[in-house]
Amino acid sequence: MNYEMIDAKKVMGEAVYEMARDHENIVMISTDSASRSGFSAFIKDFPDRYFELGIMEQSALSVASGFATTGKIPIFCAPAPFVTGRPFEMFKVDLGYMRQNVKIIGRNCGFNYSDLGPTHYGLEDYGLIRMIPKVVILAPQDASELKAAIKAMLEYAGPVYLRLSAGSIPKIFDEKPFQIGKGNVIRDGKDIAIVTTGEITLNVLAATEALVSYGIDPMVIGMPTIRPIDEALVIEAAKKTGKVVTVEEHFDIGGLGTIVCELCSASCPVPVLRLGVPSDYINSGPYKDLMAEVGLDTDHLVAKIAEFANVDGQRQT
């Protein structure tokens, strides 16, 4: 598979700029990182709508909540652990409890800051934010979904958390409107259902090609909305295949895998294999090495899913 790779920050910055050009109530809040997040054009052309607070994420969420009470639509973007873990109480009280129309973007998610270690990894953001009632959680899988998700996020009335990396992301899908709460069947199949989210979908698609060569017929479901998850699609896939695998660049507890397990246990009990990052402090190092260490590279995904599907792993001729 050879997909066009596009700078995620460029896609995000252009999508926000286009919406801000048509909606004067959109404002940008920064904690010393807006220009590094792809918002230089916004800062240049809309200086009166850009507010720099310095390195104080807790205050940023409270200020964003204040702007929302005046009818503004605030966007706050910074590294994932610094917009979820560090200001969690403000996220819970000022945004969630007050149901404020604030948009939070957690960039450099997962192992994206691979050289900086556990303090900068974004591996618990789904788990944290899903504990705050009524907050929508988005994880676009490619450049087209990211662009459409930004638009949908800004049109949605209520708090939204969107996570993405800050590097190059593939263009996998054709452009279409983003529907919050809807997943999509990327590949139909009958043997096993693989539910994936975020940019690790690229690894899942590569693994799927190998699984097919082993004689496995996998269904692949893209889930760019973590909450509200597309319950009907998950249940349909579980009933059809009888086995579900979840794949996410997040801890293997608290995120997509946990949500799918909760859903299946209540509505369609089937075996579920959660493929994510073990709940531990992972060393720093090159990104590809970290993904291999935790078993989220293509080769490990193929081996784990094939074993779960009860296939001997011998390539079909």
Side-chain angles (χ1 to χ4, degrees), residues 231-250:
E231 296 186 3
L233 183 55
V234 173
I235 293 170
E236 176 187 349
K239 288 180 178 178
K240 181 176 182 178
T241 65
K243 286 187 176 183
V244 177
V245 178
T246 61
V247 185
E248 58 192 316
E249 194 175 338
H250 181 279

Side-chain angles (χ1 to χ4, degrees), residues 28-40 43 50 52 77:
M28 177 70 59
I29 295 173
S30 170
T31 51
D32 195 33
S33 65
S35 60
R36 296 194 300 278
S37 299
F39 299 121
S40 295
I43 297 169
Y50 167 69
E52 175 59 62
C77 175

Side-chain angles (χ1 to χ4, degrees), residues 70-204:
T70 70
K72 303 297 185 183
I73 303 176
I75 301 171
F76 172 42
C77 175
F82 305 152
V83 300
T84 57
R86 181 175 292 171
F88 178 77
E89 182 179 5
M90 293 74 187
F91 208 135
K92 180 181 73 172
V93 177
D94 295 346
L95 272 58
Y97 181 57
M98 300 301 292
R99 187 92 175 118
Q100 297 287 28
N101 190 27
V102 176
K103 317 305 173 184
I104 305 297
I105 301 174
R107 62 172 173 83
N108 295 90
C109 65
F111 287 123
N112 201 235
Y113 272 136
S114 62
D115 57 334
L116 296 179
T119 58
H120 283 62
Y121 297 159
L123 298 172
E124 62 286 300
D125 51 339
Y126 297 159
L128 287 172
I129 302 308
R130 70 179 292 251
M131 299 307 295
I132 303 175
K134 307 298 184 182
V135 179
V136 168
I137 304 174
L138 305 179
Q141 302 168 99
D142 83 325
S144 296
E145 276 193 350
L146 174 57
K147 180 179 179 180
I150 293 289
K151 184 176 186 293
M153 174 183 75
L154 291 169
E155 291 175 342
Y156 174 83
V160 178
Y161 173 66
L162 182 148
R163 68 118 78 166
L164 77 158
S165 75
S168 296
I169 58 175
K171 187 181 186 304
I172 300 171
F173 309 117
D174 295 332
E175 293 189 9
K176 64 179 182 179
F178 188 97
Q179 291 184 274
I180 292 175
K182 293 295 183 182
N184 57 87
V185 178
I186 301 173
R187 182 189 189 278
D188 202 3
K190 65 180 186 302
D191 293 339
I192 194 166
I194 305 171
V195 185
T196 176
T197 188
E199 294 148 38
I200 200 171
T201 293
L202 184 64
N203 288 12
V204 171

Side-chain angles (χ1 to χ4, degrees), residues 20-31:
R21 187 178 53 203
D22 298 330
H23 299 83
E24 294 184 355
N25 57 340
I26 293 175
V27 299
M28 177 70 59
I29 295 173
S30 170
T31 51

